[in-house]
Amino acid sequence: MNSGPRGQVWAHVGQPFDRRAYDVVVIGAGMLGAGCAAALREVVPGRSLLLLDEGGLPNEEGATLLGAGVWDAAGLEGHATELAERSRAELQRWLGDALTPRTLLDFGAERTEAAEASAEVLQAFDDMADWVDPEQLPHVTRREVLTYRPGELTLRLGQGAVAAGADLMLNVRAELTPGGVRLHRLSVTNRHEIVVHETHDITVDQVIVAAGAAGPELIESGLGLHTPHGRAYVQRPRLRQPSGPTSPLLRAGNLLLRPLNGEYALYLPPRSGDPHGYRPTSGRLTGVQVGLRRELLCDLLPRMDALPVLATEALGVGRSLADIEGAWLGLPGGDPQHAPTAEQVTPGVWLLLGGSRTRGGADTLGLGLVRELAEQLA
Amino acid sequence: MNSGPRGQVWAHVGQPFDRRAYDVVVIGAGMLGAGCAAALREVVPGRSLLLLDEGGLPNEEGATLLGAGVWDAAGLEGHATELAERSRAELQRWLGDALTPRTLLDFGAERTEAAEASAEVLQAFDDMADWVDPEQLPHVTRREVLTYRPGELTLRLGQGAVAAGADLMLNVRAELTPGGVRLHRLSVTNRHEIVVHETHDITVDQVIVAAGAAGPELIESGLGLHTPHGRAYVQRPRLRQPSGPTSPLLRAGNLLLRPLNGEYALYLPPRSGDPHGYRPTSGRLTGVQVGLRRELLCDLLPRMDALPVLATEALGVGRSLADIEGAWLGLPGGDPQHAPTAEQVTPGVWLLLGGSRTRGGADTLGLGLVRELAEQLA
């Protein structure tokens, strides 16, 4: 641990900024960016470090606040197992008691060794008797997973990085330049318009782009480098069924239901990335306007037979896009099922992408991945 | 063959329409719709039939005019083989000499029984020596395929259907109603606005929706039936390399290069369907604005090493969307690799979807499929 002075924090443009250079800049203070900053302060405490974000810590519109926050290493193989274990160690260190074990019920149509009969297991959870059709999903595996709030984790990681000497600048738009970063500090006018208040060019040895879905575009527009990555606008509908501290998570395939704020939240990766130029559009189901996007509806419909709870009024479909929480996610290689990645795109520039997996995704591997990246940069 | 009178044609709103009922209405006068109408006149000549389209025969903005027009039965299995053979018989009957045999060079990385060495075969086609990297695509299979112009075929099919007694109405927007179809006849104002001139309700026993990408939406909005189908906006860039009557077609995986109008045209199915609400957007390649959409660029880039001709100035990337021909294609099940389908969506209503396959797609199976549908309706 670095025992030097705390880092400096610039939250608004009233605080003057006169730095001309950093050894390392991390663009994006979401879970991966803040986690990377925290890891770098430990691994290379001698290097000056600036963590920045266009919004807050974490960004209010980023993927972090939409994350499920479920650590679940089941089914992982090879290096991913190692990353998951490193992630767990980091989660325990940063979250302590805020990392909560819960039971996950993993429903499947096929029998595995550890599987129990769905009908029997469901009886143990009174409220859930009607959630699953035991004829269509006859087998279930129980396991313990760890749950957390990605926003809370990110706040702790960012604060920890600052306590260990990282500088932090919020409300700043970053632009990549050859050999550095251009900082556009933002302020809000009386008319609630976001404007650039001042611009600074700084030279940087190592830039880590952890800006989620905006990352590939930053690299392309700033450095003229094409990347094969994609993005998708992902919604997290609510399932208005009561949940408490002992409520289990449910999984069926890549669909995940997670207790959240006394209800449940539904996570389902998209079938594909969204095309360039797409703007999120609310859907229409046989003529009725709803807030869920059409593609999510189409992906949920075939699951309603096996999971009748999805076909009830409990599923919050909303009336307009604003009714449903959603965010843009960066997809490595444009593939919704790709694991999170850290790659060097050009000397001195690394790109972190979390992806949209609900299993073996950034929730489970992310902090191990950024720890590994920090060690590679050392 | 029906030896009765020719059908009636309504091309513009000046021609009065007073019919109240048809036995069969085919919505969409593209290749599949016109082909279906022609088949129905032969199989069930006693049933009154109206073929209609929002535009011309074929629709100027539909998928038909974007089609490659390549009949190629290689690699087909089971029922698809039968459909392909029936399609070939129909193509020969309707097109005669306009159905042109050409050589197709199918390049692959893997050796098959009939494969020759790419480097040697390429020498036989002088102009193409640099098109393919024989190290990356060392093997090639030659075969004869049949080529045609889907627009010309559709015109002949539609005219043939009318000659055999089908009625034809152009410039009419159709809406599905329970037990019938509502016809909105369109006209163009002095200001070039398309307006509804008059509306007619007709009762119909059997409706065949062959409106391409617009088909599922017609069924959903008219009948309140959800369908799992999707659509994609597909572009057909030009490759400005000279072609003549004996120029071969080239295939590498699902990418097809076809001689067209003295040049080549490039066909590549999309990786996924486009989301609801997406409007075609021109792309940007490391900062430069081009007419190709971003996703097509991303799909072409990794192929440029094996097909260096794609990396030359010959590839027409354009400057804006209007520079590149494109159309919406209907994707069965939202899957770009799905074969063409004919399905009954509710009693009395059938849906035809051509899909976006460049092999085993509507070009090869379509006319067999509509022939089969006509027999099922009999």
Side-chain angles (χ1 to χ4, degrees):
Chain A
M1 273 280 182
N2 179 295
S3 55
R6 287 177 60 84
Q8 215 176 327
V9 177
W10 294 269
H12 56 84
V13 294
Q15 301 160 288
F17 177 82
D18 57 8
R19 297 288 298 264
R20 296 292 172 85
Y22 277 94
D23 293 327
V24 188
V25 166
V26 178
I27 300 176
M31 186 180 74
L32 293 182
C36 191
L40 284 163
R41 289 315 298 159
E42 294 181 14
V43 177
V44 284
R47 291 190 203 163
S48 62
L49 169 65
L50 174 65
L51 171 65
L52 54 84
D53 199 285
E54 194 165 330
L57 171 68
N59 190 304
E60 303 74 19
E61 295 175 2
T64 291
L65 287 181
L66 201 82
V70 179
W71 184 93
D72 176 8
L76 296 180
E77 292 177 0
H79 186 55
T81 313
E82 197 182 311
L83 287 180
E85 283 310 316
R86 297 192 76 174
S87 294
R88 179 163 69 172
E90 293 297 312
L91 290 170
Q92 280 166 338
R93 191 156 71 92
W94 289 100
L95 288 169
D97 289 347
L99 186 66
T100 317
R102 278 191 193 260
T103 299
L104 182 142
L105 305 178
D106 197 345
F107 290 87
E110 311 223 340
R111 178 177 223 129
T112 60
E113 238 178 65
E116 303 172 69
S118 293
E120 284 173 33
V121 171
L122 284 166
Q123 283 182 335
F125 299 92
D126 283 351
D127 300 343
M128 295 186 164
D130 303 333
W131 288 33
V132 176
D133 177 353
E135 294 204 358
Q136 298 209 36
L137 295 171
H139 311 293
V140 62
T141 315
R142 290 191 226 206
R143 62 176 174 271
E144 290 292 296
V145 298
L146 301 171
T147 63
Y148 58 96
R149 292 175 177 270
E152 181 185 5
L153 169 65
T154 301
L155 191 61
R156 293 191 188 195
L157 289 165
Q159 288 172 341
V162 171
D167 288 350
L168 172 67
M169 183 182 283
L170 302 176
N171 302 309
V172 58
R173 187 174 293 152
E175 188 185 335
L176 295 177
T177 58
V181 173
R182 183 166 295 155
L183 304 175
H184 303 279
R185 298 187 73 188
L186 306 174
S187 64
V188 179
T189 68
N190 293 339
R191 294 178 175 186
H192 302 286
E193 291 164 325
I194 293 172
V195 295
V196 174
H197 181 83
E198 59 184 32
T199 293
H200 302 267
D201 278 306
I202 55 175
T203 58
V204 184
D205 289 340
Q206 297 174 318
V207 180
I208 293 149
V209 179
E217 169 66 18
L218 274 176
I219 285 163
E220 185 146 335
S221 63
L223 305 178
L225 293 171
H226 175 79
T227 80
H229 307 301
R231 57 181 206 153
Y233 184 77
V234 174
Q235 294 180 315
R236 176 180 70 184
R238 295 301 178 104
L239 188 70
R240 293 192 206 87
Q241 289 281 2
S243 72
T246 60
S247 298
L249 291 85
L250 265 74
R251 176 182 278 287
N254 56 0
L255 184 147
L256 177 69
L257 291 172
R258 179 222 202 282
L260 190 71
N261 301 334
E263 300 179 337
Y264 271 82
L266 186 154
Y267 302 84
L268 184 65
R271 230 185 288 180
S272 66
D274 287 320
H276 175 76
Y278 169 71
R279 291 171 181 223
T281 309
S282 58
R284 187 176 276 274
L285 189 58
T286 62
V288 180
Q289 186 77 28
V290 297
L292 295 186
R293 55 181 291 188
R294 166 83 190 191
E295 295 70 37
L296 179 53
L297 279 172
C298 286
D299 288 348
L300 289 177
L301 279 169
R303 291 171 163 88
M304 289 183 177
D305 280 345
L307 296 167
V309 69
L310 300 181
T312 66
E313 298 267 308
L315 181 68
V317 297
R319 292 192 184 177
S320 75
L321 210 63
D323 294 339
I324 311 288
E325 288 174 292
W328 284 99
L329 270 54
L331 309 183
D335 175 6
Q337 284 304 319
H338 203 293
T341 54
E343 63 166 9
Q344 184 172 17
V345 289
T346 190
V349 181
W350 287 261
L351 175 66
L352 283 165
L353 285 174
S356 62
R357 287 171 77 154
T358 56
R359 176 184 239 156
D363 281 357
T364 299
L365 307 179
L367 290 195
L369 187 71
V370 296
R371 190 93 201 164
E372 193 176 76
L373 175 61
E375 288 165 5
Q376 283 169 11
L377 297 189
Chain B
M1 272 281 182
N2 179 295
S3 55
R6 288 177 59 85
Q8 214 175 329
V9 177
W10 293 269
H12 56 84
V13 294
Q15 301 160 288
F17 177 82
D18 57 8
R19 296 289 298 264
R20 295 294 171 84
Y22 277 94
D23 293 327
V24 188
V25 166
V26 178
I27 300 176
M31 185 180 74
L32 294 182
C36 191
L40 284 163
R41 288 316 298 159
E42 294 181 15
V43 177
V44 284
R47 290 190 204 163
S48 62
L49 169 65
L50 174 65
L51 170 64
L52 54 84
D53 199 285
E54 194 166 330
L57 171 68
N59 190 304
E60 303 74 18
E61 296 175 2
T64 291
L65 287 181
L66 201 82
V70 179
W71 184 93
D72 176 7
L76 296 180
E77 292 178 359
H79 186 54
T81 313
E82 196 182 313
L83 288 180
E85 282 311 316
R86 297 193 75 174
S87 294
R88 179 163 69 173
E90 293 297 313
L91 290 169
Q92 280 166 338
R93 191 156 71 92
W94 289 100
L95 288 168
D97 288 347
L99 186 66
T100 316
R102 277 191 193 260
T103 299
L104 182 143
L105 306 178
D106 197 344
F107 289 87
E110 311 223 339
R111 177 177 224 129
T112 60
E113 239 179 64
E116 303 172 70
S118 293
E120 285 174 32
V121 171
L122 284 166
Q123 283 182 335
F125 299 92
D126 283 350
D127 300 343
M128 295 186 164
D130 303 333
W131 288 33
V132 177
D133 177 353
E135 294 203 357
Q136 298 209 35
L137 295 172
H139 310 294
V140 62
T141 314
R142 290 191 225 206
R143 62 176 174 271
E144 290 292 296
V145 299
L146 301 170
T147 63
Y148 58 96
R149 292 176 177 269
E152 181 184 3
L153 169 65
T154 301
L155 191 61
R156 293 191 188 195
L157 289 165
Q159 288 172 340
V162 170
D167 288 351
L168 172 67
M169 183 181 283
L170 301 176
N171 302 309
V172 58
R173 186 174 294 151
E175 188 185 335
L176 295 177
T177 58
V181 173
R182 182 167 296 156
L183 304 175
H184 303 279
R185 298 186 72 187
L186 306 174
S187 65
V188 179
T189 68
N190 293 338
R191 294 178 175 185
H192 302 286
E193 291 165 326
I194 293 172
V195 295
V196 174
H197 181 82
E198 60 184 31
T199 294
H200 302 267
D201 278 307
I202 55 175
T203 58
V204 184
D205 289 340
Q206 297 174 318
V207 180
I208 293 149
V209 179
E217 169 66 17
L218 275 176
I219 285 163
E220 185 146 336
S221 62
L223 305 177
L225 293 172
H226 176 79
T227 80
H229 307 300
R231 57 181 206 152
Y233 184 77
V234 174
Q235 294 180 315
R236 176 180 69 184
R238 295 301 178 104
L239 189 70
R240 293 193 206 87
Q241 289 281 1
S243 72
T246 60
S247 298
L249 292 85
L250 265 74
R251 176 183 278 288
N254 56 0
L255 184 147
L256 178 69
L257 290 172
R258 179 222 202 282
L260 190 71
N261 301 334
E263 301 179 337
Y264 271 82
L266 186 155
Y267 302 84
L268 184 65
R271 230 185 288 180
S272 66
D274 287 320
H276 174 76
Y278 169 71
R279 291 170 180 224
T281 309
S282 58
R284 187 176 276 276
L285 188 58
T286 62
V288 180
Q289 186 77 29
V290 297
L292 296 186
R293 54 181 291 188
R294 166 84 189 190
E295 295 71 37
L296 179 54
L297 280 171
C298 286
D299 288 347
L300 289 176
L301 280 169
R303 291 171 163 88
M304 289 183 177
D305 281 345
L307 295 167
V309 70
L310 300 181
T312 66
E313 298 267 308
L315 181 68
V317 298
R319 292 192 183 177
S320 75
L321 210 62
D323 294 339
I324 311 288
E325 288 174 291
W328 285 99
L329 270 55
L331 309 182
D335 174 6
Q337 283 305 318
H338 203 293
T341 54
E343 63 166 9
Q344 185 171 16
V345 290
T346 190
V349 181
W350 287 261
L351 175 66
L352 283 165
L353 285 174
S356 62
R357 288 172 76 154
T358 57
R359 176 183 240 156
D363 281 358
T364 299
L365 307 179
L367 290 195
L369 188 70
V370 295
R371 190 93 200 164
E372 192 176 77
L373 175 61
E375 289 165 5
Q376 282 168 12
L377 297 190

